[in-house]
Amino acid sequence: MGGYHVLAARGRPEADPWGFLLPLSPMVWATLLIALLAVCSVMLLLPFCFPSNTQEPGSVDVNIFNCLRVLLQEDLQRTKSRWWWGRVMLGVWMLMMVVLTQSYVGNLMSLLAVRYIDHPYQRLDDVLDKSNVGIILVKNTLIIHYLKTATSGPLWKLGNLMGTERVAYRLFAELPQSLETIVRDGSHVVFDLDIVYNVVLPRIFSRTGTCDFYLSRSSYLTTPLAMLAQKNSPLMPRLNKLAYSLVESGLYDKWLKFSHPNSSTCKNPPRIITITSAFSLSSLWGMFVVLGCGFLMAVVVLVMEQMCDGAKWEEQGQVDTQDTNTTIITITTTTTTTTNHALH
């Protein structure tokens, strides 16, 4: 069986500057918040099981605030709880945060050594959506007929592009040259049978020693590869039996590997590789952006607090001044009245 695949050039290994966010997936964040709410709920509900005179004022608020401080890796305030369950709940929460933090640190160090190789075209639609990417078709092949007769789907969209500048036609013998030029630079992709790639790609790998191209996961027009004979030929039953026996025994695959060395080497090239190198700003700038945004927010909050405190003190000073003036006026009025009575 053979199918049509998109053949494109592989990207260069690049570090993901936001890779430090990968260990903490949305599910991890949701679970973390649910656990925090559960611990805070227990802290709020358990005091109702004990007499009110046994609890110091503000002990529950301090314990809940300590849970939040543990999550943010800050120091703790002295707990005011007289009961052992408050300290136990806080200790369990601290243990959970230690396990989470150490796991995150270990994953983070591993992710900083990972390089990602971009494989953007996994479907034909991915290529059609890129208006600046050309598509190479092999002349005089069956796919030309299918594209002209398709009525829907991505093959119909590709058929509508035939005759435009986005579609380029090449002979089979011209494919290696096209792969080394316009396909390797990313301006074009090839859309053809995978059996054609099994012939062309091994030759390129044998010469360069690297997998510079990849096939899309999606395949189209999956069809059997068969031997052709005249209709109603008496040779057909014998040919069918021979073909089935060759494929089922694995002899066909063995012949393919023997006739085309390295034919299976680049079929599934890895998209993620690890390297050993010093850290650079190009792989860590995402962390510095988050750190800088945190500092900026902290400065904004600090300035707002200072402004609010200043306005509050100014308003309090005005109120105190008004109270003082009122008191002085009252005293003066009382003194004047007393003097007038004395004079009278």
Side-chain angles (χ1 to χ4, degrees):
M1 302 298 294
Y4 285 81
H5 293 259
V6 175
L7 173 71
R10 303 180 69 200
R12 294 181 178 275
E14 297 179 355
D16 185 4
W18 303 102
F20 65 94
L21 297 175
L22 295 178
L24 299 181
S25 62
M27 185 61 67
V28 175
W29 282 108
T31 305
L32 185 62
L33 293 178
I34 291 174
L36 178 61
L37 291 176
V39 172
C40 294
S41 300
V42 172
M43 291 284 194
L44 288 173
L45 294 176
L46 283 180
F48 292 99
C49 301
F50 301 94
S52 59
N53 57 0
T54 60
Q55 295 291 324
E56 292 188 9
S59 61
V60 178
D61 297 339
V62 171
N63 291 335
I64 293 177
F65 192 60
N66 279 337
C67 293
L68 183 60
R69 295 173 71 90
V70 170
L71 177 62
L72 300 178
Q73 303 293 310
E74 296 181 356
D75 58 337
L76 299 180
Q77 294 183 359
R78 181 179 178 274
T79 177
K80 299 181 180 180
S81 178
R82 296 181 179 178
W83 297 95
W84 60 269
W85 56 263
R87 294 188 294 272
V88 169
M89 291 297 299
L90 185 59
V92 171
W93 180 248
M94 292 176 64
L95 182 61
M96 291 176 58
M97 291 300 100
V98 168
V99 173
L100 180 66
T101 303
Q102 294 302 318
S103 301
Y104 174 74
V105 170
N107 290 331
L108 177 62
M109 296 302 295
S110 301
L111 288 171
L112 291 177
V114 172
R115 295 296 181 269
Y116 298 89
I117 302 175
D118 191 19
H119 291 176
Y121 307 120
Q122 297 299 335
R123 301 178 304 151
L124 184 57
D125 289 329
D126 297 336
V127 181
L128 297 175
D129 293 339
K130 297 280 188 175
S131 59
N132 59 339
V133 177
I135 303 173
I136 298 177
L137 301 177
V138 180
K139 292 181 179 180
N140 304 324
T141 55
L142 190 61
I143 187 62
I144 305 297
H145 170 72
Y146 277 116
L147 295 179
K148 290 180 179 180
T149 58
T151 58
S152 62
L155 296 180
W156 171 71
K157 296 179 182 179
L158 180 57
N160 292 335
L161 294 177
M162 296 177 62
T164 64
E165 296 180 353
R166 288 194 61 186
V167 178
Y169 300 93
R170 296 289 187 273
L171 296 175
F172 175 76
E174 298 173 344
L175 272 184
Q177 181 182 2
S178 299
L179 289 176
E180 293 292 350
T181 54
I182 58 179
V183 176
R184 185 180 290 276
D185 63 14
S187 61
H188 287 72
V189 299
V190 182
F191 187 66
D192 203 14
L193 274 172
D194 52 1
I195 191 173
V196 176
Y197 303 143
N198 291 336
V199 177
V200 178
L201 293 182
R203 299 175 184 175
I204 298 177
F205 178 80
S206 300
R207 187 179 70 257
T208 62
T210 58
C211 296
D212 300 326
F213 305 93
Y214 72 96
L215 302 183
S216 63
R217 288 192 298 266
S218 300
S219 63
Y220 303 86
L221 296 177
T222 303
T223 55
L225 306 177
M227 300 177 64
L228 300 181
Q230 188 177 2
K231 188 176 181 180
N232 299 324
S233 171
L235 296 177
M236 289 302 296
R238 301 294 299 177
L239 289 176
N240 288 337
K241 184 177 180 181
L242 178 61
Y244 280 124
S245 62
L246 290 177
V247 173
E248 292 174 353
S249 64
L251 191 58
Y252 172 78
D253 294 333
K254 185 175 181 180
W255 284 348
L256 181 62
K257 294 179 180 179
F258 179 77
S259 59
H260 302 290
N262 302 319
S263 60
S264 61
T265 304
C266 296
K267 278 190 174 181
N268 296 304
R271 298 184 60 183
I272 299 176
I273 62 174
T274 56
I275 63 172
T276 301
S277 64
F279 293 147
S280 61
L281 186 61
S282 61
S283 59
L284 299 176
W285 65 266
M287 300 175 62
F288 287 106
V289 168
V290 174
L291 182 63
C293 291
F295 283 145
L296 181 61
M297 292 176 61
V299 171
V300 171
V301 172
L302 179 62
V303 171
M304 292 178 62
E305 287 182 350
Q306 295 296 327
M307 292 175 62
C308 292
D309 290 342
K312 181 179 179 182
W313 283 109
E314 184 178 355
E315 182 180 357
Q316 186 66 31
Q318 293 177 357
V319 172
D320 294 342
T321 303
Q322 293 177 359
D323 293 342
T324 303
N325 293 334
T326 304
T327 303
I328 293 174
I329 292 173
T330 303
I331 294 174
T332 304
T333 304
T334 304
T335 305
T336 305
T337 304
T338 304
T339 305
N340 292 335
H341 282 294
L343 294 174
H344 180 70

